[in-house]
Amino acid sequence: MSTEYSSGSGDVSVTLRLLWGLDERPSRGPKPSLTVDKIAAAGIELADEEGLTALSMRRVAAKLGVGTMSLYRYVPSKAELMDVMLDRVIASETMLSHMSGVEGKGWRERMYALAYASRELYLRHPWLLHVSMARRLIGPSALASFEYFLDVMADTGLTEAEKLNTIGLVDGYVTSATRAVMEAAQAAERTGVSDEDYWEAHKPFLEKILSEGHYPNMLKMREGVFEEAIATSFEYGLQRVLDGLEVLINSRKTD
């Protein structure tokens, strides 16, 4: 799937007003049948079900049971809609549930919970991994998430630049690790060959090659170790990222 670019392909000033509700209709008069948030929710549901390639103003309108033109009274185009979708999806119960039990704890526990919350968000909404965040607009949910990150690191002794780099480091790990897992899961669907059949086809060849004694370390590996490594890979990598940060943070406390 090709990468979609958010924040910049539409009218930035319009998107910012949509994100912050600055164009909301007055409270007096008949209640509108649609809202920006309702349209964004339908877009998120459509992208969850069929991917970003299915996202269009026409399809969103059909999902809401309204005419396509009626959407344009609230959202001018798909570009602005996607920006709102990105911000609103962050405010999900999934994110909040992961972090509700770590309030008041140390930076490591809170960062750990935040990483798993982000991973779960990507797993629930796979299309997020196909959207470039290089020029992301700042909406209420994105700003709240950024503030939470900064609060997690408030007493770590890191400089402001290091805090920003830490956010990038953790988010980069979560994104890349989750993408690898999802691509592996999608391989069977896209190729029509299951993982079991794929590796079973390799088995006779590998047994012959390994029996010749050229790869002694590989030959010593126990059966099932690759499955174990895959199952524990995210946890292992995250802990090593946090270990590295802990060394840096502890060094600041002794300076």
Side-chain angles (χ1 to χ4, degrees):
M1 178 183 290
S2 60
T3 300
E4 293 275 356
Y5 285 87
S6 170
S7 307
S9 56
D11 187 319
V12 174
S13 61
V14 170
T15 299
L16 287 171
R17 295 183 68 83
L18 291 172
L19 286 170
W20 290 93
L22 300 180
D23 288 331
E24 292 293 335
R25 295 169 180 269
S27 57
R28 287 184 292 180
K31 185 177 180 180
S33 59
L34 293 175
T35 64
V36 172
D37 282 344
K38 188 174 181 179
I39 295 169
I44 292 169
E45 186 176 338
L46 180 61
D48 288 348
E49 293 170 351
E50 302 183 42
L52 280 181
T53 55
L55 183 66
S56 68
M57 299 294 275
R58 181 183 62 81
R59 291 293 307 279
V60 172
K63 195 165 206 38
L64 290 167
V66 300
T68 305
M69 294 305 296
S70 62
L71 297 190
Y72 293 109
R73 298 170 57 194
Y74 301 85
V75 183
S77 74
K78 174 184 170 181
E80 289 85 4
L81 172 59
M82 191 178 299
D83 281 324
V84 179
M85 287 168 56
L86 287 170
D87 188 75
R88 298 304 187 253
V89 81
I90 297 173
S92 67
E93 290 297 324
T94 300
M95 293 288 286
L96 298 175
S97 65
H98 275 275
M99 295 179 288
S100 61
V102 293
E103 295 302 327
K105 294 190 177 181
W107 72 266
R108 181 161 182 148
E109 291 89 347
R110 295 173 72 191
M111 190 71 77
Y112 177 89
L114 190 54
Y116 264 94
S118 298
R119 179 175 185 262
E120 183 65 20
L121 189 69
Y122 287 129
L123 292 174
R124 284 178 175 263
H125 309 284
W127 55 272
L128 284 171
L129 292 173
H130 298 287
V131 181
S132 171
M133 305 290 187
R135 301 177 66 187
R136 187 169 179 170
L137 286 173
I138 303 300
S141 298
L143 208 59
S145 177
F146 182 50
E147 177 67 18
Y148 186 88
F149 254 119
L150 294 177
D151 187 63
V152 168
M153 296 180 288
D155 300 319
T156 59
L158 298 178
T159 67
E160 291 183 346
E162 288 171 338
K163 289 176 182 178
L164 294 179
N165 284 330
T166 296
I167 293 173
L169 173 66
V170 175
D171 183 64
Y173 170 72
V174 172
T175 301
S176 61
T178 306
R179 179 180 284 113
V181 169
M182 292 176 64
E183 287 178 350
Q186 293 167 354
E189 179 182 347
R190 292 177 178 175
T191 64
V193 179
S194 69
D195 284 347
E196 292 78 9
D197 290 342
Y198 178 79
W199 290 111
E200 188 65 28
H202 285 71
K203 191 173 181 179
F205 178 80
L206 287 174
E207 287 177 345
K208 181 179 185 302
I209 294 298
L210 293 178
S211 68
E212 295 174 356
H214 299 302
Y215 306 96
N217 291 305
M218 291 178 61
L219 190 59
K220 292 176 185 177
M221 298 184 80
R222 59 182 171 78
E223 186 176 353
V225 68
F226 286 98
E227 289 81 359
E228 179 185 339
I230 291 170
T232 59
S233 62
F234 184 82
E235 175 73 11
Y236 178 84
L238 177 59
Q239 292 291 1
R240 301 298 74 77
V241 170
L242 297 178
D243 285 346
L245 290 171
E246 189 162 21
V247 170
L248 175 61
I249 290 169
N250 287 343
S251 73
R252 297 298 165 80
K253 295 178 181 178
T254 59
D255 289 344

